[in-house]
Amino acid sequence: MQIRIVIAVSLLGASLITAQAGASEAVPATVPTTAIPAPVAAAPADQSATIAALTKENALLQEKLKAMESCSISSTDLAARNSKKLKEITADVRAQRQSMAEFESYVKWMSGHVASYSKYIQASSVAARFVRFFPIPYAGQASLFTKFVSDSAVSLGAASVSINKYLVTSQQFLSRADALDPNKPTYNQDVSDLVRFADQDLLKGMTEVQDRLTTTSQLSASSLSFLESVNHYVGSGDEALTKAKSFLKSDEKAEKSFLAESTTSLRNKAQVFNGKLQLFDATVKKTAPQIKALVAYDDLARSLDPKFAKK
């Protein structure tokens, strides 16, 4: 009896094991239907990553915008920049004005100097009919020696006029530059107007003086060459100058002394003048491009805020 019971229990256990095994083998067939929702569960993670990336990109854009805003330039900024540069230019203009007094003094001295040796021009006019060696303007052209004196007088007169005119213009520039005030409501307009004045009036007068003084320097060189030539021939035994001597003083030694002193004086004064002219030229070469740069910045300021500069 017990043996039967054991066998029955064994058979029942075996059948249960077989049923469980069959059930476990059938499970894979149902896996695809239960595994479909899995990708949906991963979507929140991907969305979070996308949001994080967009947030980071937005932060970078905000930083770039702030940087651009800090680098932006307004018409007031440009006016302040030009005002600073204008005040720097005033230092060179003041130095130029100090030289103007010495230039004016030299031009006046040259005017009297040229007039004082007009008689030597007459003497050389006679000599030039026979001697063609004089290394002076119009050498060998007796009829033009007198013209040299008259042209010199005109040139020196024009130099004097230019100097005095520039003294007035430069003083106007300095006064207006010193009066610039960023607290005034017309500050931008005042700066813009002064930039235009510097370009159209100050720079024009400056270069005109430069040209006139350069001509004066050339005139000085020609005059010095003339005096040296006359000084060389006066008192010589050249028969060609016999008639020319009649235009000179009767005291030949005094004449030689006068010519020597005049030549030395002109040479020394011309050297000092040319040295100061070189310094003046240097300031013109420095200031001219600075003023042109101011005009460029002023044009930009006007384009940014055209209502403050409609002139």
Side-chain angles (χ1 to χ4, degrees):
M1 179 72 175
Q2 290 179 347
I3 294 174
R4 289 178 179 177
I5 293 172
V6 170
I7 292 172
V9 170
S10 299
L11 292 174
L12 180 60
S15 63
L16 288 172
I17 292 172
T18 302
Q20 289 177 353
S24 63
E25 290 178 357
V27 167
T30 62
V31 168
T33 58
T34 58
I36 291 176
V40 177
D46 292 342
Q47 196 172 36
S48 298
T50 301
I51 293 173
L54 290 173
T55 302
K56 182 178 181 181
E57 183 178 356
N58 182 62
L60 291 174
L61 288 174
Q62 291 295 331
E63 291 179 3
K64 290 182 178 180
L65 286 173
K66 289 180 180 179
M68 292 176 66
E69 290 174 356
S70 63
C71 294
S72 63
I73 299 177
S74 66
S75 58
T76 301
D77 295 331
L78 292 171
R81 185 263 180 202
N82 276 1
S83 177
K84 180 181 178 181
K85 294 299 181 181
L86 284 167
K87 291 183 181 297
E88 291 176 1
I89 291 175
T90 60
D92 289 326
V93 173
R94 286 190 170 92
Q96 289 177 347
R97 285 176 57 81
Q98 292 178 352
S99 298
M100 287 301 107
E102 297 180 47
F103 289 148
E104 175 68 6
S105 177
Y106 180 76
V107 168
K108 288 181 178 179
W109 179 84
M110 273 296 298
S111 297
H113 178 76
V114 170
S116 70
Y117 64 66
S118 59
K119 66 175 183 176
Y120 299 115
I121 297 294
Q122 291 177 314
S124 61
S125 297
V126 176
R129 298 173 187 175
F130 310 97
V131 181
R132 307 272 178 169
F133 178 72
F134 286 167
I136 57 177
Y138 317 119
Q141 302 178 42
S143 62
L144 295 178
F145 281 143
T146 302
K147 191 175 188 300
F148 172 67
V149 175
S150 61
D151 286 349
S152 298
V154 172
S155 177
L156 292 169
S160 181
V161 171
S162 296
I163 289 172
N164 290 317
K165 182 179 178 181
Y166 183 64
L167 285 172
V168 174
T169 302
S170 58
Q171 183 56 58
Q172 291 176 346
F173 171 79
L174 293 175
S175 299
R176 293 174 64 175
D178 292 340
L180 290 176
D181 185 356
N183 296 318
K184 290 183 178 180
T186 59
Y187 175 64
N188 288 6
Q189 184 69 61
D190 293 341
V191 173
S192 180
D193 290 343
L194 187 54
V195 167
R196 300 295 160 166
F197 179 83
D199 181 48
Q200 298 170 7
D201 296 275
L202 181 72
L203 184 57
K204 180 181 178 181
M206 190 186 301
T207 54
E208 182 177 315
V209 169
Q210 182 185 34
D211 292 340
R212 297 298 187 187
L213 293 179
T214 299
T215 300
T216 300
S217 177
Q218 295 169 348
L219 176 62
S220 299
S222 298
S223 299
L224 181 60
S225 179
F226 171 81
L227 283 180
E228 289 174 340
S229 299
V230 174
N231 190 32
H232 172 74
Y233 282 104
V234 169
S236 70
D238 194 327
E239 295 181 1
L241 293 180
T242 301
K243 293 183 179 180
K245 290 178 182 179
S246 64
F247 288 93
L248 307 179
K249 293 179 180 179
S250 57
D251 189 344
E252 191 170 289
K253 290 184 179 180
E255 195 67 40
K256 285 283 292 183
S257 176
F258 175 77
L259 282 170
E261 291 175 1
S262 296
T263 303
T264 300
S265 179
L266 176 57
R267 182 183 297 110
N268 293 338
K269 288 181 178 294
Q271 287 178 349
V272 175
F273 171 80
N274 289 331
K276 292 187 177 298
L277 178 57
Q278 288 180 352
L279 295 176
F280 180 78
D281 287 340
T283 61
V284 175
K285 291 178 181 178
K286 174 186 175 183
T287 304
Q290 288 179 327
I291 292 177
K292 293 302 180 184
L294 289 176
V295 174
Y297 279 102
D298 185 60
D299 287 339
L300 178 58
R302 292 182 178 219
S303 65
L304 291 175
D305 191 6
K307 68 176 181 296
F308 85 85
K310 297 181 179 179
K311 295 184 179 180

